[in-house]
Amino acid sequence: MITPSLFVNLFGLFLMSATSSMGDHSLCLQGMNLDINDVIEKSRKAGVQAFVSVTEQQSEFEEVIDLAERYPESVMACFGIHPIQGSADGHRSVTVQDLEPALPFFEKHKDKLVAIGEIGLDFTPWFVSTSQQREEQQKVFALQLDIAKQLDLPVNVHSRSAGRQAIAFLKEQGIQNALLHNFAGRPSVALEGVQAGFCFSFPPAVTRNDQRAKLIRQIPLENICLETDSPSLGPKKEERNELEQIRISCQYIAAVKGLSVETVCEVTTHNALKLFPKVHQRLKQQ
C-alpha cells in the first residue's frame, strides 16, 4: 500500500522521494556519497518509500543510473542540466554547449527516467548579468522542455530570481506537468502557476523564518508537494538536511494552513503520485 507523500531532497544529484507519510523530491549525491546506504535505509525506516534522483550536470547522469540500479525498489532516475553550472572557477550561467553532450543520454536511458530535471532559469545577478546569458538559459530550458514533451515526462523546475519568467515560459512551451521546487516568488506569481496546474514544493528551510508563510497560505494544498532538498535547505543551515526531515515541511505547512499533519501528508502524496505517474506505476508493481 502506498502511504502519503512525496519527499524532495537535494543530494549533489537531486533525489526525490515519493510516498511515505510525506514526500521528498531532491537528494544530492555529492553530499551523501559516503553513507548513501545508511541514508536510504534510515529514510525507508522513517517511511520514505521511493526517491527520484535528479541531476544538475551531465557528469552525474551515469551516477544516477548506477544508484537506481543499486536500489531498484527505491531510487528512480531523473536527468537534467541546471541553469547554473559549477566549474573550477566557481559558478556560471549554463550554455547550450553544456547540454549538447548530454542529449544522447536522454534517449539512451529514456525508459528509466521518471522526470526531467533539475532544469529551469536562474537570473541571480552575480551569476547572470547580461541579456545574452538569460537568453542562453532560455534556449537550454526550451530544449529540455522539448525532451520532456517527447518523452511525456513531468519537469522539476528551478526558478531562483526568475519565478515569473519560469512560469510564463512553461506556459508558453505548453508544459502541463511541472513542479517548481523551493519556490520563493510572489504569491501572485505562484497563482499564475496554480491556474496552469503546476505544483510547488517547499523544503524544511522554510521553518527558519516565516517569509514564505503568506505564499504557502495562498497556494491551494492540491498544488503543493513536500521536499527536503538535502543535504542543503534543512531547518538549520549549518547541519546536513536528512531525508526523513521531510516531516518538518509537512508539519510547517499544516501549521500555516491550519490543517492536520495527516491531511497535508495525504494530499501532498496524492499530488506527487499524480504529477509523477511513473513513480506511481513502479510503486504499485512492488
Side-chain angles (χ1 to χ4, degrees):
M1 178 178 178
I2 297 174
T3 51
S5 188
L6 181 82
F7 288 173
V8 185
N9 184 7
L10 186 59
F11 199 32
L13 307 179
F14 197 44
L15 211 78
M16 185 144 55
S17 94
T19 77
S20 118
S21 40
M22 278 161 256
D24 193 353
H25 144 210
S26 84
L27 179 67
C28 182
L29 289 177
Q30 292 172 355
M32 296 184 176
N33 247 343
L34 299 179
D35 60 344
I36 186 65
N37 291 328
D38 292 340
V39 167
I40 289 181
E41 182 61 27
K42 185 178 179 182
S43 301
R44 287 181 66 83
K45 287 181 178 178
V48 185
Q49 292 184 11
F51 308 90
V52 178
S53 186
V54 184
T55 67
E56 296 182 351
Q57 300 179 2
Q58 182 264 321
S59 61
E60 299 168 340
F61 284 15
E62 293 293 353
E63 193 172 357
V64 163
I65 292 298
D66 176 68
L67 188 65
E69 290 175 349
R70 286 166 56 195
Y71 302 96
E73 295 182 355
S74 302
V75 178
M76 304 177 194
C78 180
F79 284 178
I81 301 297
H82 194 278
I84 300 298
Q85 293 290 293
S87 68
D89 298 324
H91 292 84
R92 58 170 176 78
S93 188
V94 72
T95 67
V96 173
Q97 287 69 36
D98 294 312
L99 175 62
E100 286 176 343
L103 294 176
F105 290 89
F106 288 96
E107 177 65 23
K108 178 181 178 181
H109 296 293
K110 63 183 180 181
D111 294 334
K112 299 178 182 179
L113 301 179
V114 299
I116 300 299
E118 181 178 349
I119 63 176
L121 301 174
D122 189 322
F123 292 166
T124 307
W126 50 89
F127 294 139
V128 184
S129 59
T130 69
S131 59
Q132 182 178 358
Q133 289 174 317
R134 290 190 287 273
E135 290 172 4
E136 189 80 356
Q137 278 197 17
Q138 290 176 329
K139 290 180 183 178
V140 174
F141 193 18
L143 288 168
Q144 294 184 96
L145 292 178
D146 285 344
I147 293 171
K149 287 185 283 188
Q150 292 166 13
L151 300 181
D152 193 23
L153 293 174
V155 292
N156 176 52
V157 179
H158 175 99
S159 60
R160 184 169 53 188
S161 300
R164 185 180 298 279
Q165 296 93 328
I167 288 174
F169 201 79
L170 288 166
K171 292 165 67 175
E172 289 171 9
Q173 298 295 314
I175 297 299
Q176 296 182 338
N177 298 311
L179 176 70
L180 287 105
H181 103 90
N182 189 30
F183 189 77
R186 295 182 178 182
S188 60
V189 174
L191 291 178
E192 294 176 13
V194 168
Q195 291 175 356
F198 302 154
C199 287
F200 299 79
S201 58
F202 301 96
V206 295
T207 62
R208 296 179 191 173
N209 54 60
D210 288 326
Q211 290 180 352
R212 278 189 267 184
K214 181 179 179 181
L215 173 65
I216 291 170
R217 271 194 294 269
Q218 293 196 34
I219 297 176
L221 185 60
E222 289 72 22
N223 294 84
I224 292 178
C225 291
L226 308 179
E227 73 166 289
T228 55
D229 209 17
S230 5
S232 60
L233 298 186
K236 295 183 179 180
K237 190 173 183 179
E238 67 279 4
E239 295 181 3
R240 187 173 79 167
N241 187 17
E242 297 285 350
L243 289 172
E244 66 270 17
Q245 292 190 134
I246 192 66
R247 69 183 185 280
I248 295 174
S249 295
C250 185
Q251 292 164 352
Y252 182 79
I253 291 169
V256 167
K257 286 186 167 293
L259 300 170
S260 69
V261 171
E262 291 76 17
T263 295
V264 172
C265 185
E266 180 178 355
V267 175
T268 55
T269 297
H270 173 79
N271 298 342
L273 297 177
K274 181 180 178 182
L275 180 61
F276 300 95
K278 281 195 171 182
V279 171
H280 196 185
Q281 292 169 11
R282 293 188 190 184
L283 289 172
K284 288 195 296 185
Q285 293 170 358
Q286 295 181 20

